[in-house]
Amino acid sequence: MSGSVSFRLGGSGKHRGPALSDGRVARCILIGIAVSFLVFFVGAPLIVVFVSAISRGMPAYFDALRDPMTLSAIRLTLFTAGVAVPLNLVFGLAAAWSISKYDFWGKGILTTLIDLPFSVSPVVSGLVYVLLFGRTGWFGPALERMGVKIIYAVPGIVLATIFVTFPIIVREVLAVMQAQGSDEEHAALTLGASGWQIFRRITLPKIKWGVMYGVILCNARAMGEFGAVSVVSGHIRGETNTLPLHIEILHGEYNTQAAFAVASLLALLALVTLGLKHWVEWSAQRQSAPRIEPMVDERRAPPTVQGAS
Amino acid sequence: MTVKVERLTKRFGTSGEVVGVENVSFTAPAQRITSLLGPSGSGKSTLLRIIAGLEFADDGRVLINGEDITPVPVQKRQIGFVFQNYALFGHMTVFDNIAFGLSTRGKAKSTITDRVCQLLELIQLGSYAKRLPDQLSGGQRQRVALARALATGPKVLLLDEPFGALDTRVRVELREWLHRLHEETHVTTLLVTHDQEEALELSEHVVLLRDGEVVQAGCPQELYRNPANGFVASFLGGAKVFRGSVQQGRAEFAQNSLSAPVKEQDGSIVEAFVRPHDVGLEKVTAESSETATAVIARLVPVGGTVKVILKLPDGDSLTVQLLYHEAQSKGFAAGDRVTLDLRDAIVSPPLDYVI
């Protein structure tokens, strides 16, 4: 770029990163703490999962996964996430939209309540559903008369999962919406666009990475949820066992290898989630950055400062 | 398309304690540019947003061409709105931005293409059609925003501080460009600005607002020459206000004697609005018989003019603007004692105002 000025802080070039470069010792200690913490608490368990899973060889590993009870748990987990994530997506978009675009009575309370599932123990969430829909609960007897079974059945598991995971998408989408403001939506309004047109053509493209991110995290949590689901499930093998519950049962029966084999599925899911999350962040960043070099005012190119090297 | 605003009132806050605009009425003549001028917090943007339909008034109504549009939603008002921060659609190209209003109205593709190309020509950005907004400079973005607002052929064009975020040079150029554009299109335009120069230069009608109320409305020269009060005088042209009294039919200010308004009695208080370039300065030398009325504290050359900062006997200061050549030929220097000639001061009875 013509007319650019580059300069160097400190002159000698000895310090690569200027201002914040503390002494070498401090740097080594800090990095050491961070890395060893990660290795000990995250890396090692992850390796243990996979090593234990194949400790009796690959055939045993696949046998554990092919077990009918495991397959049923996989199906239930997929089903639960398949219901919970889309519902939370709809709720998340609606809630984020109304909180960021409208002023209404009780907005503050709503915003606070959204965080409730994050702040309460999942076991308590599960118990609440038992109290509401259980046999002796508020709606239990009425539901029983109608022949609807919620607690110790699939609907309860889905409800508990939705409850535990609903803040995730709202939080992500709301943050993106609030950061971007409503100016473009207002501009679209003055240009005659209807509410739906604005959502589809202006808002959605702006928030799509936030939505994706929320969906990925929500899905991971929905598939991995243990506490709340455990309370409402009843642990009926082949019927109300999700993957985490199934692992717990296998572990309780001292069938460690099978437990870890199934656990490896969840661990894989976690790795895939991280990969997707990374990809979404990378895509969002790439899209927000201009593809061609940004034009400076054509008549006057101000001297640019290329950061200290 | 005349825009008429009648008794508009808008309050903010939970119990309406913050006044946005209060009982505002004015008329913006058809095919002209009308400026809504005022300091920040004067309610001018709120007013514009109410006219656009982006904000709803608590009371009063808005008429376009005699038709009450108060209940009409913003999408149906057929207005073009330009935001201070452009509010271009970041994920759309320049072309798609300009085409947006036409495509929401379901216009045929060929019609849209023709119209957008025509507008790109008008804003002189023909070769930028495929760029994204962040690949444009501020001035270019604002031109795209204008084209986008004009694309649907609005009845009224509303500009909310359109040049506020641009640097001075680009601002002056765009102002000139907007003037030419208006000559071609003749769309009734309302321009919100806090820049008196912008208002005086661009508009044929000015509505001056303060604290949500109209202070004075009229053509720029009228506001400039006959300010309704000290606020108008100081806001337009940066007048300094002197307070003095009437003595034998003459108003006395800073040891200057000016002809007072006829009806004022001796001893009554009057005010004089003195604009920086309406003051004559003469150097007082040892030989001259006149007595000095001020001392030059500082000289600040600003391009072709010089700002002379004077210290008055009562300790007050007054800034006078002289042409560079005049200041040089008279040989002014800091410390010189001078006499003031307040020949063009506007003298009027005192009015209630706070600056």
Side-chain angles (χ1 to χ4, degrees):
Chain A
M1 196 182 285
S2 67
S4 66
V5 181
S6 64
F7 62 89
R8 190 184 280 274
L9 281 181
S12 68
K14 207 165 142 194
H15 299 282
R16 287 246 142 224
L20 269 176
S21 60
D22 297 314
R24 184 163 293 201
V25 179
R27 196 171 64 178
C28 288
I29 291 175
L30 284 174
I31 293 175
I33 291 175
V35 168
S36 47
F37 201 87
L38 269 177
V39 166
F40 188 74
F41 283 102
V42 180
L46 198 62
I47 292 167
V48 166
V49 168
F50 288 106
V51 169
S52 310
I54 54 170
S55 59
R56 288 198 211 151
M58 293 310 277
Y61 176 75
F62 284 113
D63 279 347
L65 296 187
R66 266 198 299 265
D67 182 77
M69 293 302 144
T70 308
L71 290 177
S72 151
I74 293 173
R75 268 197 301 276
L76 181 58
T77 297
L78 289 176
F79 173 79
T80 306
V83 176
V85 173
L87 282 178
N88 276 332
L89 177 61
V90 172
F91 167 78
L93 287 174
W97 180 279
S98 42
I99 290 171
S100 66
K101 311 279 178 204
Y102 307 130
D103 264 321
F104 53 91
W105 189 88
K107 182 167 153 175
I109 301 172
L110 180 67
T111 318
T112 314
L113 274 182
I114 283 173
D115 281 338
L116 186 72
F118 276 174
S119 51
V120 76
S121 161
V123 177
V124 177
S125 316
L127 278 175
V128 169
Y129 281 95
V130 173
L131 285 177
L132 280 176
F133 302 117
R135 267 197 136 154
T136 52
W138 286 10
F139 307 113
L143 287 167
E144 203 169 1
R145 273 196 299 281
M146 289 188 287
V148 180
K149 199 163 156 51
I150 290 182
I151 299 304
Y152 306 139
V154 174
I157 293 173
V158 174
L159 278 178
T161 306
I162 291 174
F163 178 81
V164 174
T165 56
F166 85 69
I168 300 172
I169 294 180
V170 192
R171 280 283 140 212
E172 289 301 330
V173 176
L174 187 60
V176 181
M177 277 191 181
Q178 280 174 336
Q180 294 179 333
S182 305
D183 287 339
E184 291 182 31
E185 279 81 0
H186 281 158
L189 266 180
T190 65
L191 292 165
S194 66
W196 172 244
Q197 280 174 324
I198 292 175
F199 178 72
R200 196 173 54 82
R201 297 186 56 188
I202 309 296
T203 310
L204 203 54
K206 280 201 305 181
I207 62 167
K208 68 176 175 206
W209 296 116
V211 174
M212 289 255 244
Y213 194 77
V215 165
I216 291 168
L217 291 184
C218 182
N219 183 59
R221 182 74 201 273
M223 290 190 174
E225 173 56 26
F226 179 81
V229 170
S230 170
V231 176
V232 297
S233 130
H235 305 271
I236 308 164
R237 280 202 182 195
E239 274 181 46
T240 61
N241 256 358
T242 60
L243 275 179
L245 301 182
H246 188 55
I247 295 169
E248 159 81 1
I249 290 177
L250 289 173
H251 178 69
E253 292 169 342
Y254 303 103
N255 195 348
T256 311
Q257 183 269 333
F260 275 109
V262 181
S264 73
L265 287 181
L266 286 180
L268 268 178
L269 169 73
L271 292 177
V272 169
T273 302
L274 283 179
L276 281 174
K277 176 176 160 278
H278 201 76
W279 173 73
V280 166
E281 279 167 357
W282 178 76
S283 308
Q285 208 166 45
R286 202 181 56 149
Q287 199 173 64
S288 67
R291 264 169 252 161
I292 316 170
E293 187 131 304
M295 275 297 299
V296 188
D297 204 319
E298 67 270 44
R299 284 145 301 184
R300 192 179 51 135
T304 47
V305 175
Q306 292 176 338
S309 49
Chain B
M1 300 283 172
T2 314
V3 178
K4 202 166 176 202
V5 164
E6 289 181 350
R7 306 179 326 277
L8 274 189
T9 297
K10 169 81 180 174
R11 289 161 182 275
F12 296 102
T14 42
S15 51
E17 69 278 3
V18 185
V19 173
V21 289
E22 183 79 36
N23 199 16
V24 167
S25 303
F26 68 86
T27 304
Q31 304 195 340
R32 304 264 190 272
I33 299 181
T34 298
S35 288
L36 302 179
L37 178 66
S40 50
S42 58
K44 52 196 192 302
S45 281
T46 306
L47 202 51
L48 199 74
R49 293 174 76 85
I50 293 173
I51 296 169
L54 290 172
E55 203 96 60
F56 296 97
D58 301 332
D59 200 15
R61 42 184 214 151
V62 180
L63 300 104
I64 292 183
N65 221 18
E67 185 197 341
D68 185 359
I69 57 149
T70 321
V72 179
V74 47
Q75 294 103 318
K76 302 234 162 73
R77 288 199 182 187
Q78 290 179 275
I79 47 110
F81 200 102
V82 174
F83 297 79
Q84 175 173 3
N85 60 358
Y86 328 119
L88 292 177
F89 307 131
H91 60 284
M92 291 187 198
T93 61
V94 167
F95 186 98
D96 290 339
N97 263 282
I98 300 174
F100 187 85
L102 296 164
S103 66
T104 59
R105 284 167 170 77
K107 292 272 190 285
K109 211 160 188 178
S110 58
T111 321
I112 295 179
T113 311
D114 288 350
R115 178 74 178 138
V116 174
C117 289
Q118 184 194 343
L119 281 160
L120 280 169
E121 213 53 52
L122 188 70
I123 60 168
Q124 298 144 17
L125 288 177
S127 54
Y128 290 71
K130 292 212 170 71
R131 295 272 178 110
L132 286 174
D134 29 325
Q135 295 159 357
L136 304 177
S137 71
Q140 291 168 339
R141 282 182 218 184
Q142 199 53 293
R143 279 187 275 163
V144 174
L146 261 161
R148 183 178 69 176
L150 286 170
T152 50
K155 288 181 185 170
V156 180
L157 188 59
L158 305 171
L159 313 174
D160 189 3
E161 306 238 15
F163 312 133
L166 301 168
D167 63 53
T168 320
R169 234 184 71 144
V170 181
R171 197 155 64 206
V172 171
E173 277 174 20
L174 265 188
R175 208 187 280 164
E176 195 48 49
W177 176 81
L178 179 66
H179 180 74
R180 286 200 306 274
L181 185 77
H182 185 256
E183 297 281 275
E184 283 175 44
T185 57
H186 283 295
V187 184
T188 308
T189 302
L190 268 83
L191 168 78
V192 159
T193 178
H194 62 262
D195 183 348
Q196 49 123 349
E197 209 178 301
E198 204 165 285
L200 294 177
E201 209 176 299
L202 271 175
S203 51
E204 289 153 271
H205 192 77
V206 175
V207 179
L208 186 59
L209 294 148
R210 200 186 95 224
D211 295 339
E213 291 179 55
V214 175
V215 187
Q216 194 176 1
C219 80
Q221 280 311 304
E222 189 189 324
L223 263 69
Y224 193 84
R225 291 289 153 214
N226 302 310
N229 58 32
F231 173 76
V232 181
S234 61
F235 200 82
L236 288 175
K240 167 110 183 160
V241 183
F242 285 102
R243 222 159 238 250
S245 60
V246 179
Q247 309 284 334
Q248 292 158 355
R250 304 279 298 167
E252 304 287 339
F253 298 96
Q255 299 181 22
N256 261 251
S257 164
L258 301 166
S259 57
V262 217
K263 54 180 194 280
E264 293 302 316
Q265 302 286 318
D266 269 15
S268 61
I269 303 290
V270 284
E271 282 175 343
F273 308 125
V274 182
R275 295 213 162 89
H277 43 83
D278 283 345
V279 179
L281 289 185
E282 287 303 332
K283 211 158 146 178
V284 177
T285 53
E287 305 91 66
S288 58
S289 56
E290 289 167 289
T291 47
T293 50
V295 178
I296 296 178
R298 207 150 70 89
L299 290 160
V300 189
V302 186
T305 58
V306 179
K307 273 188 188 171
V308 184
I309 296 151
L310 299 172
K311 198 149 183 85
L312 301 175
D314 58 0
D316 211 354
S317 67
L318 172 69
T319 303
V320 174
Q321 211 167 341
L322 297 178
L323 287 175
Y324 186 79
H325 299 296
E326 188 189 346
Q328 214 172 30
S329 65
K330 289 188 178 168
F332 289 133
D336 282 353
R337 295 182 308 135
V338 290
T339 57
L340 301 181
D341 178 7
L342 306 179
R343 58 199 175 217
D344 291 320
I346 303 157
V347 182
S348 79
L351 289 146
D352 255 355
Y353 64 88
V354 187
I355 293 171

